[in-house]
Amino acid sequence: VQKEVDFAGDPRITQVTADKPLDLEPLDITIESLPGATRTGTVKVFNGADATVNVRTALGLPPVLQRTAVGEVKGEDLDCTGWLKVIPEQFTLQGEGGRQNLQIVATMPNPVATHPCYYAILALWATYPDGQQAGVTTMPICVRNTNIQAQPEAEGLKIGIQDLGQSKFLVATTFANQKTIHFAPITVRAGVIASTDASGIPRTGAYLGGDPGLMLPFEMRQFSGVLDFSTLPADTYLLVGRLEYAPNQFARTNKLIRVSIEGDQRVVQTIGTQQELGENVEIKW
């Protein structure tokens, strides 16, 4: 059974337009504060599109903190949306370079603030003058409690490998932030070392790509890249992924693999799950 339906559409709409995300500076903001104090931060909003847009702001809990928990700490415990006020809440950006400064006012309650950091997400909803949606732009906001000193810590969860052909392999790693303080990934790399090689020098390696933005508490994130195995002799190797989450601070995940040669191609077989890395297996990039 086939039926054709002709939608006339809204006659008030004379031009179909696409979403036009706004540009923000900075891409995220951290406000240093004390319990009982009021502090402010500034966000610059730019409209690089050729059309004028009306913008309204909204605050909410970041999705990664919704309905999550680690130990006795729930994501909702790190919510600071009720402490924040955005000025102005609504504004208009002219096309081709319109700009607006937003003031983020944070009033940290006392003595409720017992964690090192609290989070919210700022959403900027844009519409064209005729009412059509022009997209939404978001940025994370952190209010840091300077009374509490805490260090970030990442955890390597898993690493996987997939054959792409011609001795090229896609390597994907997953890391998690299990602390109540954020961090921004500095570098993420993957490498292959011989399982019997104590020097720790990788036979092949590559940087892995992924979202470089802030990793909020309880967040898991994947990074991936392509490794070339074409020069590897047949042997047993340790496939290692490494995330630098603070200067000279690393989280790792690894897997034991066996590389064999079939014709002029390398074939990889996983023969082990994650193992503890000893002091003599530190990869020297």
Side-chain angles (χ1 to χ4, degrees):
V1 177
Q2 178 176 328
K3 182 177 182 179
E4 294 184 2
V5 180
D6 185 13
F7 290 95
D10 189 337
R12 296 171 298 176
I13 304 300
T14 59
Q15 181 180 1
V16 177
T17 53
D19 288 353
K20 300 291 184 181
L22 304 174
D23 294 317
L24 304 180
E25 184 183 329
L27 298 178
D28 54 71
I29 186 170
T30 298
I31 300 175
E32 307 279 347
S33 187
L34 290 168
T38 297
R39 299 288 186 268
T40 62
T42 301
V43 178
K44 298 179 181 179
V45 186
F46 302 91
N47 179 17
D50 55 2
T52 296
V53 292
N54 299 317
V55 182
R56 61 181 177 88
T57 64
L59 293 165
L61 182 65
V64 69
L65 295 178
Q66 298 175 15
R67 297 180 297 278
T68 59
V70 172
E72 297 181 354
V73 181
K74 297 182 294 184
E76 289 82 357
D77 296 337
L78 307 180
D79 185 5
C80 68
T81 56
W83 311 349
L84 303 177
K85 183 176 179 60
V86 182
I87 304 174
E89 295 181 342
Q90 299 184 35
F91 53 92
T92 298
L93 286 177
Q94 300 298 321
E96 299 181 346
R99 63 183 59 197
Q100 174 72 48
N101 286 346
L102 298 182
Q103 288 291 111
I104 311 297
V105 182
T107 302
M108 181 180 289
N110 188 13
V112 175
T114 57
H115 295 288
C117 291
Y118 296 83
Y119 300 92
I121 189 168
L122 171 65
L124 303 175
W125 296 87
T127 57
Y128 292 104
D130 63 3
Q132 290 190 82
Q133 296 295 323
V136 59
T137 304
T138 62
M139 68 170 294
I141 298 174
C142 169
V143 179
R144 181 168 183 140
N145 184 356
T146 56
N147 271 352
I148 300 178
Q149 299 299 317
Q151 299 298 321
E153 183 177 336
E155 178 183 354
L157 297 183
K158 62 181 179 180
I159 185 168
I161 187 168
Q162 179 182 349
D163 191 349
L164 299 178
Q166 298 182 345
S167 298
K168 302 291 195 305
F169 292 84
L170 176 68
V171 174
T173 61
T174 302
F175 293 90
N177 179 4
Q178 302 286 16
K179 296 294 184 179
T180 56
I181 184 172
H182 61 276
F183 62 83
I186 299 175
T187 59
V188 187
R189 299 194 67 171
V192 173
I193 60 174
S195 60
T196 57
D197 186 357
S199 71
I201 299 176
R203 301 295 183 89
T204 183
Y207 286 101
L208 305 184
D211 183 358
L214 294 185
M215 277 189 71
L216 301 187
F218 315 154
E219 181 177 353
M220 293 184 292
R221 187 175 297 176
Q222 187 178 86
F223 302 86
S224 60
V226 177
L227 268 63
D228 186 351
F229 282 37
S230 59
T231 60
L232 289 182
D235 201 348
T236 300
Y237 297 92
L238 198 62
L239 176 66
V240 181
R242 188 190 74 174
L243 164 68
E244 184 178 10
Y245 58 87
N248 297 317
Q249 298 294 318
F250 304 97
R252 298 174 178 82
T253 179
N254 63 90
K255 181 174 290 187
L256 201 61
I257 61 174
R258 179 179 293 120
V259 176
S260 58
I261 302 176
E262 297 183 4
D264 59 350
Q265 303 293 317
R266 266 58 178 179
V267 177
V268 173
Q269 177 187 9
T270 299
I271 59 175
T273 57
Q274 182 162 314
Q275 299 180 344
E276 291 295 328
L277 289 178
E279 293 298 327
N280 61 337
V281 197
E282 174 70 26
I283 292 187
K284 300 177 182 178
W285 300 100

